[in-house]
Amino acid sequence: MKLVSWNVNGLRACLGKGFLDYVATENPDIICLQETKLQPEQAVFDLDGYHRFFNSADKKGYSGTAILTKEEPLSVTYDFGDDIHRHEGRIITAEYPDFYLVCCYTPNSQDELKRLDYRMQWEDDLRTYLKELDAVKPVVYCGDLNVAHQEIDIKNPKSNRRNAGFTDEERGKMTDLLSSGFVDSFRHLYPDAAGIYSWWSYRFNARANNAGWRIDYFIVSERLKERIGDAAIRTEVYGSDHCPVVLELK
């Protein structure tokens, strides 16, 4: 089974930049999208063979997630936890026969870390949610998680030390998650792979200079790690300031 996760930074814009061509070439079984920035009725495009599930933010043109899947899930739920987490369209959970798939667009801590306190609450509550799912069946958790976990995951770690996405607090929450029964699929297979990123700023020719961050992940329950066939980052695919990441499960 091949799964793709991609922050498309506006699905309608990405559709005009080769999204459907990429899907035809990759031919994944499941596609998870983040930052769709649309309401479901605005998702007008031809993609035969996929069931579609969208979770949109209350605020139009903001955030949003989607799952496009060839196999119809047993169930689909939107958002999680307390009401505070239920207004930005950031989570979709699809249940399949042998795992739960959680598509996530993690809140950014923002400039001057003004949303860091909420981010910490989000991380704790979501980890609890993932562990509850994992107690029932294994979990595949993916998306733009808005954190570069280790220095190897970012081009310029020293100058970004206190920037959103590379604070000690955010990195610590990722460590907490991975210490509670989950595995970063890409790092599991490629522990020393450097210079491979999934997001580049639109400023300062960052992508041309490969001044990037690895902030898009497939994280799986520990007991799924032997089923990881490959974990890839499609750095050659354009259409967004992020590139797709891929998980192949045996």
Side-chain angles (χ1 to χ4, degrees):
M1 173 179 280
K2 181 188 286 188
L3 302 90
V4 163
S5 178
W6 193 4
N7 179 323
V8 290
N9 193 9
L11 179 54
R12 286 171 292 178
C14 195
L15 283 164
K17 300 176 183 177
F19 175 80
L20 294 177
D21 291 337
Y22 165 70
V23 173
T25 300
E26 189 76 70
N27 191 28
D29 297 287
I30 302 172
I31 308 163
C32 294
L33 303 177
Q34 302 87 43
E35 210 169 356
T36 53
K37 296 183 178 179
L38 49 65
Q39 301 300 307
E41 65 272 12
Q42 296 174 304
V44 181
F45 58 93
D46 293 324
L47 190 61
D48 292 340
Y50 288 88
H51 304 275
R52 308 179 184 200
F53 303 93
F54 287 86
N55 191 10
S56 300
D58 294 352
K59 177 182 176 182
K60 291 186 177 181
Y62 175 73
S63 186
T65 47
I67 293 178
L68 314 175
T69 172
K70 291 181 177 179
E71 179 181 349
E72 186 170 8
L74 300 176
S75 66
V76 176
T77 58
Y78 301 94
D79 304 310
F80 79 103
D82 295 338
D83 182 71
I84 192 172
H85 302 313
R86 293 183 171 272
H87 297 277
E88 297 183 355
R90 294 185 177 274
I91 292 283
I92 305 177
T93 303
E95 180 184 1
Y96 292 90
D98 57 350
F99 65 90
Y100 286 106
L101 172 66
V102 179
C103 172
C104 176
Y105 178 37
T106 299
N108 191 298
S109 294
Q110 299 185 347
D111 293 341
E112 300 179 356
L113 304 179
K114 58 190 176 186
R115 215 179 185 197
L116 182 61
D117 288 346
Y118 172 62
R119 171 70 178 267
M120 295 296 97
Q121 179 183 352
W122 167 278
E123 295 287 357
D124 289 341
D125 292 349
L126 185 60
R127 186 173 65 254
T128 297
Y129 174 64
L130 294 174
K131 290 172 68 176
E132 289 171 351
L133 293 177
D134 187 54
V136 179
K137 63 176 71 173
V139 173
V140 176
Y141 168 50
C142 71
D144 174 2
L145 304 188
N146 260 318
V147 61
H149 183 214
Q150 302 169 329
E151 290 194 353
I152 196 174
D153 297 315
I154 186 171
K155 176 73 170 185
N156 298 304
K158 289 182 172 56
S159 61
N160 282 294
R161 175 76 185 278
R162 284 300 294 165
N163 287 343
F166 199 62
T167 63
D168 293 347
E169 293 91 335
E170 292 162 310
R171 296 168 66 197
K173 293 299 184 185
M174 175 63 85
T175 297
D176 290 346
L177 176 64
L178 297 177
S179 300
S180 64
F182 296 91
V183 174
D184 175 349
S185 60
F186 181 79
R187 256 324 142 221
H188 173 65
L189 293 185
Y190 307 107
D192 303 315
I196 302 176
Y197 309 119
S198 65
W199 174 77
W200 304 260
S201 170
Y202 279 135
R203 305 170 65 194
F204 309 121
N205 293 313
R207 192 155 187 175
N209 296 322
N210 198 31
W213 304 44
R214 189 177 74 94
I215 60 175
D216 300 87
Y217 297 80
F218 271 101
I219 290 173
V220 303
S221 295
E222 179 83 24
R223 61 193 185 278
L224 283 181
K225 70 180 182 181
E226 301 307 321
R227 289 184 57 190
I228 300 172
D230 196 11
I233 300 177
R234 302 286 194 232
T235 57
E236 74 282 4
V237 177
Y238 285 71
S240 169
D241 52 347
H242 296 248
C243 72
V245 297
V246 179
L247 174 67
E248 294 188 23
L249 284 179
K250 295 182 283 189

